[in-house]
Amino acid sequence: MRSRVSDSESEGTGSFEFDSVVIGGGAAGLTASGICANFGAKTMMIEKHKLGGDCTWTGCVPSKVLLKAGKVAQQVRDAGKYGLIDGEPKIDFKKVIKHVDDIRKEVYEDADRPEIFEDMGIVVVEGEASFLNAHTIEIKLPDGEKRKVTSRFFFIAAGGSAFVPPIEGIDTVDYLTNDSLFEVEDLPEELLIIGGGPIGTEMSQAFTNLGSKVTVIDMAEEIMMNDDPELTDILFEELKRQGVNYELGASVKSVSQNNGKVSVHIEVDGKEKTVAGDKLLMATGRKPNLAGLGLDEAGVEYTKKGITINNSCRTNKKNIYAIGDIASKYQFTHMSEHMAKIATSRAMLKIPMKMDLKHITWATFTSPEIAHVGATEKELNEKGEKFEVYRFPYSKIDRAITEGESVGMIKIFAKKFSGKILGASVVGAHAGEFISEYAVAMKNGVSLRNIADTIHPYPSWGLGARRAADQWYIRNQSAGTVKWIKRIFGYKGEIPDYSDPDRVV
């Protein structure tokens, strides 16, 4: 076996043990492995922990289960708004965490366990992979043995992990991250969260609803800085109403721990203060898992932000692709799957597919949810784009009213005359589902007029999407148009008042 195979040498000589090797068994790796196998490629997938990755074990799945438990507890407290009797839920947190673990295992057994992929013909290996050169890796197995493997193509899907900034005293504190949060067996009485992004915001609500006193600390003046500020204000007020406490615009100076209590020393408006609790969650972002991969030996370019790729997810080495959190600023499970599809299609079939960066969606699953697709209002304004903003409140969606979830807003950015959708943001119940409809519309050139003309069932949540699209028709009416119609048909009614450009009908 040759120790090195140059990029210029033929990839079709049959000199490689595998056609494709996937490093990492999270969302990106599982998707890539399955696609490669379905293309008839001899495929190996390597994972050093459990298949399923962050999403199944420490991210999407457990966090949503915990959020649901908290939401049910809050519904018991708010039962009066449904004509029932308000009550205080009895919470056994150990049972809640066991339920979280049971659901993780259920998802794993149904979708992630090795046998599923082995049945596809994929060789699944537990171990740590490191490149020796662009076509060869060395796998360190659990028993300490090492195995060399060569492959025609590699897909690096090693994911990301919690980033903890170098705050003074952080090494002396028993802090939590999303990697350890769902292993806690006792409900914190007072939970401090540094970070007001999606993870911090979701967990602040979950633990508040389950009975913890929660304080969120962030250096920004607002939470959820990547979302529409008009809509995050709605979410912010609702979270405060539910009991979440905030220290925003706060500079964290240091942290300390004494007698089981954690203290976060902050400065707000030039004044120093200390916030104390029994647990500290660091929700301060993510970092790519670059260490130990041997990227330098393979000649793969990278920065501290991740592996450098083009729009087809290919690195500077033509046979090596990087997908998922290790190579993307959009660290979402659905983006990882999208990248896996692009990379495998490009590598294995030579189809020149590229990432769809114009229609990226995201959602944060608080109550109310907040979600987005496409360009933001800020981005459109910075580009000098001409567009209209169409708003539709949840208080006018009959289904939202009947279910007692009328807090929310649909906000669409679109062209005035064509109704072409440039972006959309939603805060409210089922916001992720609303955004999915707008994502399909944007991807396929469906305008607001097309949505408005499409029959939606009443009283569905989805009807709200059509009602919001109706506003395009309303906005394009004018007193002059109505006068013209009256004159032609001899109508005798009043001309509506069109003086308010933001009126909602």
Side-chain angles (χ1 to χ4, degrees), residues 375-376 379-381 383-390 411-424 442 445-451 468-477:
T376 65
E379 289 169 343
L380 292 170
N381 285 326
K383 288 170 59 179
E385 186 84 56
K386 292 183 178 180
F387 66 99
E388 294 285 311
V389 180
Y390 301 91
K411 190 174 179 182
I412 307 168
F413 317 116
K415 288 291 190 180
K416 178 177 176 59
F417 295 109
S418 67
K420 178 182 178 181
I421 304 172
L422 305 174
M442 292 177 66
V446 177
S447 67
L448 287 181
R449 176 178 179 175
N450 299 141
I451 295 176
D470 287 345
Q471 305 313 301
W472 175 84
Y473 270 118
I474 302 303
R475 192 78 64 84
N476 280 326
Q477 291 179 348

Side-chain angles (χ1 to χ4, degrees), residues 111-185:
D112 301 337
R113 56 188 171 84
E115 293 83 0
I116 295 172
F117 298 89
E118 290 168 345
D119 287 345
M120 299 180 189
I122 299 168
V123 178
V124 180
V125 177
E126 181 183 355
E128 298 182 43
S130 180
F131 282 98
L132 300 178
N133 58 55
H135 281 280
T136 310
I137 59 169
E138 182 177 77
I139 308 171
K140 184 178 180 181
L141 303 173
D143 60 6
E145 294 293 317
K146 294 181 179 180
R147 174 183 175 182
K148 289 184 180 180
V149 172
T150 61
S151 180
R152 185 173 174 181
F153 294 104
F154 287 93
F155 300 92
I156 306 173
S161 53
F163 169 72
V164 178
I167 300 170
E168 181 182 338
I170 193 66
D171 292 335
T172 67
V173 172
D174 297 324
Y175 61 84
L176 300 168
T177 68
N178 70 294
D179 292 331
S180 54
L181 178 64
F182 305 107
E183 312 307 320
V184 173
E185 293 186 352

Side-chain angles (χ1 to χ4, degrees), residues 254-423:
S254 63
V255 295
S256 59
Q257 184 168 341
N258 187 34
N259 294 327
K261 285 286 186 180
V262 178
S263 297
V264 180
H265 310 285
I266 62 176
E267 182 178 309
V268 183
D269 296 328
K271 298 180 180 178
E272 294 187 358
K273 63 185 297 186
T274 297
V275 185
D278 52 322
K279 291 291 182 182
L280 170 64
L281 171 63
M282 298 298 294
T284 45
R286 309 276 294 167
K287 62 180 180 179
N289 293 330
L290 299 169
L293 289 173
L295 298 177
D296 292 327
E297 283 73 13
V300 173
E301 295 178 356
Y302 62 94
T303 69
K304 64 180 182 180
K305 294 181 179 180
I307 295 175
T308 304
I309 57 173
N310 64 13
N311 284 337
S312 294
C313 302
R314 191 169 74 178
T315 71
N316 60 301
K317 291 295 183 179
K318 71 176 184 177
N319 70 303
I320 302 178
Y321 291 73
I323 52 180
D325 291 359
I326 199 165
S328 175
K329 68 177 182 178
Y330 303 105
Q331 298 193 349
F332 313 122
T333 295
H334 48 278
M335 193 61 186
S336 295
E337 293 174 343
H338 174 67
M339 293 174 73
K341 293 175 183 177
I342 298 300
T344 50
S345 297
R346 177 65 181 85
M348 312 306 292
L349 301 181
K350 310 305 178 188
I351 298 175
M353 295 180 68
K354 295 182 179 180
M355 289 184 286
D356 182 3
L357 300 179
K358 291 183 178 180
H359 306 117
I360 294 173
T361 61
W362 65 77
T364 301
F365 295 94
T366 44
S367 296
E369 297 177 7
I370 188 166
H372 178 80
V373 62
T376 65
E377 186 173 12
K378 179 181 178 182
E379 289 169 343
L380 292 170
N381 285 326
E382 288 175 348
K383 288 170 59 179
E385 186 84 56
K386 292 183 178 180
F387 66 99
E388 294 285 311
V389 180
Y390 301 91
R391 294 175 175 84
F392 195 78
Y394 268 48
S395 58
K396 291 186 178 294
I397 301 174
D398 287 356
R399 184 60 178 271
I401 296 170
T402 62
E403 297 203 8
E405 296 188 279
S406 58
V407 174
M409 175 74 71
I410 299 171
K411 190 174 179 182
I412 307 168
F413 317 116
K415 288 291 190 180
K416 178 177 176 59
F417 295 109
S418 67
K420 178 182 178 181
I421 304 172
L422 305 174

Side-chain angles (χ1 to χ4, degrees), residues 1 47 88 149 199 235 311:
M1 182 184 296
E47 169 57 46
E88 187 59 33
V149 172
I199 296 174
L235 173 61
N311 284 337

Side-chain angles (χ1 to χ4, degrees), residues 458-491:
Y458 179 89
S460 66
W461 283 100
L463 183 62
R466 198 222 73 197
R467 293 288 308 281
D470 287 345
Q471 305 313 301
W472 175 84
Y473 270 118
I474 302 303
R475 192 78 64 84
N476 280 326
Q477 291 179 348
S478 67
T481 302
V482 176
K483 288 179 181 178
W484 179 75
I485 293 172
K486 287 183 64 177
R487 188 177 299 117
I488 291 175
F489 296 102
Y491 296 147

